[in-house]
Amino acid sequence: MISWSRILYGAVLTTVIAAVVFVVLRRERRLAVLAAALGSTLAGPVAWNAILHRAGGAGFFVDIPFAPFPVSWQDTGSGVFTLAVASVVLSLLLRREVAGRVIGIAATAAAVAFLVDIYLY
């Protein structure tokens, strides 16, 4: 089962990588948007992994036998929870923005959480 230290390590690592992606690749400069997106990349994986930790969801940590993309249900859950958190937070923060922009930011946060979870912890 995943330990609390590993849960926190993974969430912080995800947030740091997401910061680089948002600032360098997406060129996001609005502090409120960055805070919401990065907060989501921290909260989503922590929430999902806390549920697995509490419920004893060891079966969610089994990777598919495909070395280039060894995804598990646990990895997928991190991305899904991040998408959900980011979508809600960003839609409240950016309620006057075009929906495509909001979901683009949320999807970027989710993709980072998903990929970091697969390959880095």
Side-chain angles (χ1 to χ4, degrees):
M1 185 50 48
I2 193 169
S3 68
W4 283 109
S5 60
R6 190 166 174 107
I7 290 170
L8 295 175
Y9 164 77
V12 170
L13 179 64
T14 299
T15 304
V16 169
I17 292 172
V20 172
V21 168
F22 277 105
V23 171
V24 175
L25 297 179
R26 287 198 56 112
R27 302 197 190 285
E28 185 59 58
R29 299 292 183 250
R30 294 183 290 176
L31 188 56
V33 173
L34 284 171
L38 298 179
S40 298
T41 62
L42 183 71
V46 167
W48 171 243
N49 286 306
I51 291 168
L52 291 180
H53 182 82
R54 178 71 176 116
F60 284 84
F61 290 87
V62 178
D63 293 344
I64 63 169
F66 182 63
F69 192 66
V71 66
S72 69
W73 286 115
Q74 182 271 337
D75 303 327
T76 304
S78 291
V80 169
F81 265 63
T82 301
L83 180 62
V85 171
S87 295
V88 170
V89 171
L90 290 163
S91 67
L92 293 172
L93 177 69
L94 303 173
R95 61 185 170 272
R96 295 192 189 336
E97 292 276 344
V98 176
R101 175 160 165 65
V102 176
I103 199 63
I105 296 168
T108 300
V112 170
F114 179 61
L115 293 171
V116 168
D117 202 329
I118 292 171
Y119 293 110
L120 299 179
Y121 77 99

